[in-house]
Amino acid sequence: MTCCVPWEETTPDYFWHSWSNCTQCTVSSGLWKQALEWWDPIVKQVWGDEQWLQNFWMRKATFLELCSLQRCSQGHQNERWPLGREAHGNQRVEAGNFRLLLLRAQNQVLKKGVVDEQANSASLKEQLKMKDQSLRKLQQEMDSLTFRNQQLAKRVELLQDELALSEVKGKKNKKSGESSSQLSQEQKSVFDEDLQKKIEENERLHIQFFEADEQHKRLEAELKNRLEILETDAAQHQAVVDGLTRKYIDTIEKLQNDKTKLEIKSQTLEREAKECRFRAEECQQQLKNLHADLGMRLDDSLCIINEKVPFNDTRSSQYNALNIPLHNRRCQLKLRDIAGQALAFIQDLVAALLNFHTYMEQRVQIFPIDSATDTISPLNQKFSQYLHENASYVRPLEEGMLHLFESITEDTVTVLETTVKLKVFSEHLTSYTCFLRKILPYQLKSLEEECESSLCTAALRARNLELHNDMKKITAVFEKLHVYISLIVLPSVKPEGLLRTNYSSVFTHIAAGLHGFHNVMKEISKHYSQKAALEYELPTATQKLITTNDCILSSVVALTSGAGKIASFFSNNLDHFTASLSYGPKGGTEFMSPLSAECMLQYKKKAVAYMKSLKKPCSDSVPYEEALANRRVLLSSTESREGLAQQVQQSLEKIAKLEQEKEHWMLEAQLAKIKLEKENQKLKSSLSGQLIEPMPENSVLLNAAEQEKEEAIKKTSREPVKRMSLIGMLTMTTDNKEALDKSREDLIKNHYMARIVELTSLLQLADSKSVHFHAECRALAKRLSLAEKSKESLVEEMKLASQSISRLQDELTTTKRSYEDQLSMMSDHLCSMNETLSKQREEIDTLKMSKGNSRKNKSR
């Protein structure tokens, strides 16, 4: 039902507008006039809040507030100018508030209904309790009546026995006087009247008890049914109330979250707008500066070009074709990867084709006539001979693809103009297509021969006809693929044979042909599986035929999966083929020629050789494992600052001690040098004094003496000299000054190096101990945290146990109270029964006394 009056014009006074004046309304106008007559004078003016709640589930004030909110929100929606994000957020908040008010009104009504139902159920429970009490009282009265009836029955039996005895005695004493007979008749009449009264009273009481019991049972059943209905209604109302409260809480939380998110978003958008304005101003300023700078550079470069550059070879395609393009190594690696995947798919396809042709040859040999038992037809003989030659046509496909894969390497340039090995694969595909054309008529004739045999049923003949069409289709698909692959080979053989604009269309046709091959193989698989199932049901089907059909089906399934993989693979890499096989010099429109590819590879080799010549060997570095170990040591040592501070302090103290020792030994070395110089001077002076005295006649003797002295000096200089110090004992020979200094330095250096090694080993030991202690501390900390967690879990379990104990104690107290109440009721019942027994005993005693008196009177 639609109306032309918009909602934003609706008000509480205009809620029921004049539908009679609306031409688009589908309801008659008279009905809405009656609705207006009912709405304005009755609903708005006469009805109170209770009638509004009963009919509309909300109060009048709530309805007016909702109408005003809806009018405001609808007015915002019909505005034509664009609203901001804050306005949209406010609209959502207002709509949420509107829904919230509606839900609150419904919730109040539901709550009121639930409270009323709870009060009704409570009153019914009280009535049920009162009926139970009355039922218990009636049961007690019934018990007392049954007990009294039993006593009366026994009393009647006793009286009847006494009556019989008295009659017997009366017969014996007939001779007694008439007075005694009259007395006995009077007593008998009295007893009969009492007995008749008791019987009538007992019957009346039985009737009253039965009626009361039936009424009580009927009332109890009605009350139970009503109580169950009310309990179910109360449970349903409570579930509805709980669901609505949860829903209201969720909606309120969602609206609050949305409001906060919108506020945060508005603030962030304001900040972003300010930042964008600031950045835009900065960018405009930078753009102005760049325009000015680029204009100056353009003028300078144009001047340089006009003055010094003779021509620009990128403008003409002929000159640009002579440029050498860049070598795209990543593209080559990608193409090699794709070629490897294609090789794997071709290998699977070749294996499936070999199996298919081989098993088809076996089938021709055994069906419809088995060659082992009878001679097959000349047609099938020729067909099996051709099928036997399938390997010579199928295996070259794998070899051609392998050669193409090997030709694509990292150092080559693979484009359509340079892929010469693709021609080999195309030639092998041509030979296989010729093979399919050659065997196609024999295959079709073989299927026709199977159809003409007496064992062929109508369903099997239909399957053979379908396979007849499928074999034609698969030959046509291979011919189509052969045509398009021969077109791709043309750029490497005859570049002008295929335009570069047609490359993408050729590749798309190849992809379509591969998908067609996959579809044809699916049809063959479907039809041949149906045919094999029908042949399996033939009475003359042998086990050899069944196994051969299974093998053919497996090969057909392998062909189908291989064709699907190749088709999806080629379709997925179609964009890469069209983009990577057609690149050339930068800025040019020509494709790469084989000559430019060779030049590019030569220049690449020269560049690699030049880079290798420039490459210098790197200096020896620390091994990786040692560096990792040192890093771990450093990381573990940095964890304890106090230990490091102590180590640094100790190392500083050791360095100071070593410097003091160094100064001491340097002083000693200087003193030793001075002493050595003095000794050398003394030796020189003594030798010079002896040589000054001239004795020509004894010159030979002098020379001999000089030689002996020199030998003695050498011997003394070569004898080892021992010196003691704080570090240890130093042994040295006084050969010459340089040897002494060098040996002394080497000894000191070796000593300190040994000392340093010892100290580093001690330091590493201390570090390892500290790391071990740190790990133990971490483990203890983890154990402590786990213990705390277990403690918390145990505390929670203890709380739960205490709660369960308190609950059990409460249950125990309630059971005690119920048992005490039952005991009190039983005790009251026993008391009442005791009272009835005492009364009955008293009545029995009185009856006995009256009987004794009567006997005494009789005896008298």
Side-chain angles (χ1 to χ4, degrees), residues 66-77:
L66 291 175
C67 289
S68 62
L69 287 172
Q70 181 64 20
R71 186 173 62 255
C72 293
S73 64
Q74 193 69 23
H76 285 300
Q77 289 180 2

Side-chain angles (χ1 to χ4, degrees), residues 270-335:
E270 287 177 358
R271 287 197 297 271
E272 288 178 359
K274 290 180 182 178
E275 292 177 357
C276 289
R277 291 194 197 98
F278 184 68
R279 287 177 185 174
E281 292 175 357
E282 290 181 353
C283 290
Q284 287 178 358
Q285 189 66 30
Q286 290 178 1
L287 186 62
K288 289 178 182 178
N289 296 331
L290 286 172
H291 274 300
D293 191 9
L294 289 172
M296 293 173 65
R297 288 185 183 180
L298 181 62
D299 295 335
D300 295 338
S301 61
L302 287 173
C303 292
I304 292 167
I305 288 166
N306 292 326
E307 291 175 0
K308 297 181 180 180
V309 178
F311 65 93
N312 190 1
D313 58 354
T314 58
R315 291 181 182 176
S316 62
S317 60
Q318 296 177 355
Y319 294 144
N320 192 34
L322 300 174
N323 289 333
I324 297 171
L326 300 174
H327 184 258
N328 195 346
R329 181 173 173 272
R330 185 179 296 172
C331 180
Q332 285 298 119
L333 292 174
K334 177 69 175 175
L335 283 173

Side-chain angles (χ1 to χ4, degrees), residues 643-659:
L644 286 172
Q646 291 177 2
Q647 291 176 8
V648 169
Q649 190 67 27
Q650 290 175 1
S651 61
L652 289 173
E653 291 177 357
K654 290 177 182 178
I655 288 166
K657 288 180 181 178
L658 291 171
E659 287 179 353

Side-chain angles (χ1 to χ4, degrees), residues 798-855:
M798 188 174 70
K799 288 180 180 177
L800 293 172
S802 62
Q803 290 176 1
S804 63
I805 288 166
S806 62
R807 189 180 68 253
L808 291 171
Q809 286 178 354
D810 294 335
E811 291 178 356
L812 182 62
T813 53
T814 53
T815 51
K816 279 183 179 179
R817 287 176 184 173
S818 63
Y819 285 144
E820 287 176 357
D821 294 336
Q822 290 178 3
L823 288 171
S824 63
M825 290 173 66
M826 291 294 291
S827 61
D828 294 337
H829 182 64
L830 288 172
C831 291
S832 62
M833 292 297 290
N834 289 325
E835 288 178 357
T836 54
L837 285 171
S838 62
K839 288 179 181 178
Q840 289 174 358
R841 284 175 184 172
E842 288 177 356
E843 289 178 356
I844 290 165
D845 293 335
T846 54
L847 289 170
K848 285 180 179 180
M849 290 293 291
S850 63
K851 185 179 179 182
N853 293 325
S854 64
R855 283 179 181 177

Side-chain angles (χ1 to χ4, degrees), residues 76 82-94 258-271:
H76 285 300
L83 295 174
R85 295 187 179 181
E86 294 181 359
H88 287 296
N90 293 327
Q91 286 181 4
R92 291 180 66 187
V93 172
E94 288 175 0
D258 292 337
K259 186 177 180 180
T260 53
K261 285 179 182 178
L262 289 170
E263 289 177 355
I264 294 166
K265 199 170 183 180
S266 64
Q267 293 175 1
T268 53
L269 288 171
E270 287 177 358
R271 287 197 297 271

